[in-house]
Amino acid sequence: MNRLPALLAALALLLAGCGDARSGTLGPAPRAAAPGTATAPATAPTTPPSNPTGVPGPTATRSTGPVTPPRTGTPSPAGTGTVTVQLWFARAGVVVPTRRTRPTTVATSRLALAELAAGPTSAEAAAGLATLVPAGVEMVRIAEGTATVAPPESFADTDARTLRLRRAQVVWTLTQFPTVRRVAFAGSGVVLARTDLADLLAPIVVTEPAIGQRVAGPVTVAGTADVYEATVSIRILDGSGRVVGTGFTTATCGSGCRGDYRGGVAYRLATAGPGTVEVYEVSPRDGSRTHVVAVPVLLAATA
């Protein structure tokens, strides 16, 4: 008997069963990304580690809002074994920020106090920065948001204005760490927060770039400002004083309140060399540059 018709019928039934929706599917085959594109790996959200000891260590940059410059104290990329802290020095009756990168330590607050006493670098001193903080200011403890420091006996042996600037250097530097909101000066009964010393900020504060930093275009310029209509103007000068780039950005508040600002400014420079980033307010009365903050930097060539 010819069994061919029966075999063909059985094969047809088998194929029909494979098409049953209940059997599932592998889905479409993956396609290669188009040329010039890249895909980012998926990452699970992370939760920052707790700090049960209350001792401040390196932390990610954190904003304090529109009243005061952002808190920093940031670790460098993993594996470098360094930490970057913000230091506040005195200049022309106000306090201004700069940065230091040093070997990693668990006692970051003590490191910051030691760096304050060590004073500015030669480049910072040339830009007018100075320290009023003497050696010997010791960290006692950090508890419930208050850092208690023990200054040497000579700490208060000065006029009231200098003493306030000296305390401001310590307060602004230590409160960059998230476990510190205020500083108590042992033996004096004085406890100060950043808001108590906000009048010791210039109308424009530049937190980035730092003095002596090597930068490339576009240059990121950031800080806080209390300026007319919140407009912050920026220009970049080469070593001869020639303007090689200009721009502006706006602060989150202005004309009577302090806000954060951040912007990028491109420039054109054939040969790398020293330069200056100037941040300023344009006077609404005569268009002149006012409240100028000049930050000496090293400019990379752009061509």
Side-chain angles (χ1 to χ4, degrees):
M1 180 184 295
N2 189 347
R3 296 183 179 179
L4 181 58
L7 291 174
L8 290 175
L11 180 60
L13 289 173
L14 178 62
L15 292 174
C18 291
D20 191 330
R22 292 172 296 176
S23 64
T25 176
L26 295 177
R31 293 179 295 177
T37 65
T39 57
T43 56
T46 58
T47 301
S50 61
N51 186 3
T53 64
V55 178
T59 62
T61 299
R62 191 177 90 176
S63 174
T64 58
V67 177
T68 62
R71 300 171 188 252
T72 61
T74 60
S76 296
T80 61
T82 59
V83 62
T84 299
V85 295
Q86 193 178 75
L87 304 176
W88 289 78
F89 288 125
R91 179 172 64 189
V94 297
V95 288
V96 295
T98 188
R99 294 197 297 267
R100 289 288 184 278
T101 298
R102 295 290 184 261
T104 299
T105 173
V106 294
T108 319
S109 55
R110 290 185 176 89
L111 168 67
L113 288 174
E115 291 293 333
L116 275 185
T121 64
S122 56
E124 292 164 348
L129 274 63
T131 188
L132 303 174
V133 177
V137 179
E138 298 290 340
M139 175 63 66
V140 178
R141 64 181 175 275
I142 298 172
E144 299 180 350
T146 300
T148 300
V149 299
E153 293 183 2
S154 61
F155 190 87
D157 293 343
T158 186
D159 61 273
R161 176 69 176 176
T162 300
L163 177 58
R164 193 159 184 265
L165 275 169
R166 181 174 289 171
R167 285 173 172 159
Q169 280 191 250
V170 175
V171 171
W172 281 92
T173 296
L174 290 183
T175 51
Q176 73 185 280
F177 305 113
T179 53
V180 181
R181 297 189 300 274
R182 66 193 72 86
V183 177
F185 293 84
S188 67
V190 174
V191 181
L192 296 169
R194 284 189 170 193
T195 52
D196 299 316
L197 301 161
D199 60 301
L200 293 180
L201 296 178
I204 297 175
V205 173
V206 180
T207 57
E208 190 176 357
I211 292 173
Q213 182 178 334
R214 187 180 300 275
V215 299
V219 180
T220 297
V221 183
T224 69
D226 178 359
V227 292
Y228 179 68
E229 293 187 343
T231 302
V232 180
S233 298
I234 305 163
R235 66 178 191 168
I236 300 175
L237 292 73
D238 66 10
S240 65
R242 178 174 62 96
V243 177
V244 295
T246 60
F248 73 93
T249 187
T250 54
T252 55
C253 194
S255 298
C257 60
R258 182 171 293 274
D260 301 319
Y261 69 86
R262 173 175 291 270
V265 180
Y267 67 90
R268 297 183 64 86
L269 189 66
T271 306
T276 303
V277 176
E278 282 190 350
V279 188
Y280 58 95
E281 175 188 21
V282 175
S283 169
R285 290 192 296 271
D286 57 14
S288 62
R289 291 181 295 111
T290 62
H291 306 309
V292 178
V293 179
V295 182
V297 296
L298 299 175
L299 297 173
T302 59

